[in-house]
Amino acid sequence: MPLRAIAGAGLRLIMVGGKGGVGKTTCASAIALGLAEAGRRVLLVSSDPAPSLSDIYECDIGGAETRILPDLPLWGLEISSDLVLAKWKERFGREIHAVISSFADVDYDFVDYVGTAPGIEEEYMLYFIRELTKDGKYDVVVWDTAPAGHTLRLLRLPRLFLSHLEGATKFYMNMYSMVERVKDTVRLQSSKKTLLQVIASWRELSEGIIGFIGEQTTTRYVLVTIPEALGVRLTERVMAELAGNGIEVGDLIINHIVKEADCEFHRTRQKMQQRYVRSLEETYAGINIAKLYLSPYEIKGVERIREIAKALFA
Ligand SMILES: Nc1ncnc2c1ncn2[C@@H]1O[C@H](COP(=O)(O)OP(=O)(O)O)[C@@H](O)[C@H]1O
Ligand SMILES: [Mg+2]
């Protein structure tokens, strides 16, 4: 079955995942183009550290939202670590400084130090993507994610962040009752909120992100794989891990399938692939599966991407 559900539903975010090299960027680009051609305003975002949207669309995209094609409502954005950290600082810098300087004498550079903590970048990436879906500029955001392991870690983070904050709240409260015997009355310098209100707002944010990523009416996860042993094994792992994080895979794309085998090499390859395609179809009978044939051409430029889009949405 092609990806009809994606075209029809009121989705705001489509996450495209899978292991490196299986065709995530190709499929995300094609999905974005297909949706833009159907009249939706689409932002195609890549968070892969190796930027690739510029290559496939043969234009300069980079760290600012850039219109990809003049006659289609399609924009692109390549998110780098630097961009994410700069945005994170914009959003949290003042609050973090206010919270910490309410009990310790630190200058603003301390915020940079907090920003290097493990997990901050991934945590904020999700927030940033959610903001992009919320501000009304786009009907739908198509997210070409970083390779699977990285993305899974990213999806686990809001939960970790949440439990960390709960511990931190108690810690700060104890500190306050010991030192000043006040709890929620101290207003932070440079912020109208109290310490606990700021911490509570961070918690709300994490909960909001968890809810948003797991909400199937607005967020859909498309997993790309290839019909080989490694692809099948990784699909199992990713499916299980996603399910453990409250995320159901909406569509599975099996890419690189040999369509016509007219020589010994391709016959052998096709036979090998058929076994894995069957196995995937049996294991994931409840999930929509789309098949994508291996093209003899390099997928670059709008015309080639359009062919992939046609195959995916046909
Ligand atoms: N169906 C296909 N037919 C031909 N080439 C493909 C196909 N899907 C992907 N490719 C090629 O495979 C390479 C890896 O694809 P890419 O989308 O960059 O993978 P990923 O983003 O998962 O690393 C690219 O050179 C791309 O053009
Ligand atoms: Mg890629």
Side-chain angles (χ1 to χ4, degrees):
M1 269 282 279
L3 305 180
R4 291 220 184 90
I6 285 183
L11 291 177
R12 307 302 316 277
L13 174 66
I14 297 163
M15 300 172 74
V16 182
K19 102 183 164 69
V22 294
K24 289 183 299 300
T25 301
T26 306
C27 291
S29 300
I31 289 169
L33 184 70
L35 293 174
E37 290 194 317
R40 314 277 295 278
R41 297 167 63 81
V42 185
L43 177 68
L44 173 61
V45 179
S46 172
S47 62
D48 196 324
S52 36
L53 301 183
S54 299
D55 288 332
I56 187 165
Y57 272 104
E58 299 176 312
C59 67
D60 246 344
I61 294 177
E65 290 157 52
T66 305
R67 186 137 192 180
I68 296 179
L69 297 164
D71 53 346
L72 274 180
L74 176 62
W75 286 261
L77 174 66
E78 288 172 336
I79 307 180
S80 65
S81 306
D82 287 350
L83 177 68
V84 170
L85 284 178
K87 295 274 181 191
W88 175 83
K89 206 172 157 184
E90 237 172 66
R91 166 64 182 82
F92 289 111
R94 247 166 30 90
E95 284 184 359
I96 286 173
H97 184 247
V99 166
I100 295 169
S101 58
S102 71
F103 60 87
D105 187 17
V106 291
D107 47 352
Y108 198 74
D109 290 348
F110 191 79
V111 171
D112 286 323
Y113 175 71
V114 176
T116 60
I120 293 283
E121 185 190 329
E122 289 93 337
E123 162 73 20
Y124 194 69
M125 182 88 77
L126 291 175
Y127 174 84
F128 186 37
I129 298 267
R130 187 176 70 143
E131 289 302 293
L132 289 169
T133 67
K134 270 203 324 203
D135 73 5
K137 258 170 33 198
Y138 308 103
D139 297 323
V140 59
V141 172
V142 180
W143 181 12
D144 172 25
T145 69
H150 194 256
T151 304
L152 288 172
R153 197 156 61 88
L154 188 150
L155 295 174
R156 272 197 298 270
L157 270 156
R159 258 165 254 270
L160 297 180
F161 192 55
L162 200 64
S163 53
H164 164 78
L165 282 178
E166 273 163 8
T169 310
K170 290 196 188 99
F171 171 77
Y172 294 134
M173 275 182 66
N174 282 335
M175 190 141 149
Y176 265 74
S177 57
M178 264 168 54
V179 178
E180 291 177 274
R181 301 200 173 279
V182 288
K183 278 188 180 150
D184 202 20
T185 52
V186 179
R187 292 199 179 267
L188 296 173
Q189 274 176 4
S190 75
S191 162
K192 292 194 180 61
K193 294 178 190 163
T194 66
L195 179 75
L196 291 187
Q197 280 170 338
V198 170
I199 291 172
S201 74
W202 294 349
R203 183 180 308 166
E204 265 168 39
L205 197 89
S206 285
E207 280 166 356
I209 291 171
I210 294 170
F212 167 69
I213 296 289
E215 179 50 63
Q216 286 179 43
T217 54
T218 50
T219 301
R220 195 166 177 103
Y221 197 98
V222 178
L223 186 61
V224 186
T225 192
I226 49 174
E228 289 176 16
L230 196 65
V232 171
R233 264 209 312 277
L234 202 90
T235 302
E236 280 166 15
R237 221 193 75 204
V238 173
M239 292 266 190
E241 292 216 26
L242 287 171
N245 286 282
I247 296 169
E248 298 294 328
V249 171
D251 306 271
L252 179 66
I253 299 176
I254 311 177
N255 190 13
H256 284 188
I257 298 180
V258 173
K259 189 177 187 184
E260 278 154 25
D262 51 7
C263 65
E264 200 44 42
F265 174 84
H266 279 119
R267 269 192 292 277
T268 309
R269 208 157 172 85
Q270 193 179 47
K271 228 167 141 191
M272 175 278 287
Q273 289 189 340
Q274 277 165 352
R275 205 151 51 85
Y276 293 113
V277 171
R278 263 200 306 277
S279 151
L280 286 166
E281 282 174 335
E282 279 165 20
T283 314
Y284 305 109
I287 293 174
N288 184 45
I289 294 183
K291 292 180 201 166
L292 197 54
Y293 294 112
L294 185 64
S295 160
Y297 308 106
E298 206 177 1
I299 317 291
K300 245 173 180 282
V302 182
E303 286 315 311
R304 295 283 177 230
I305 303 171
R306 186 173 285 131
E307 283 167 19
I308 301 284
K310 276 197 187 130
L312 287 178
F313 287 107

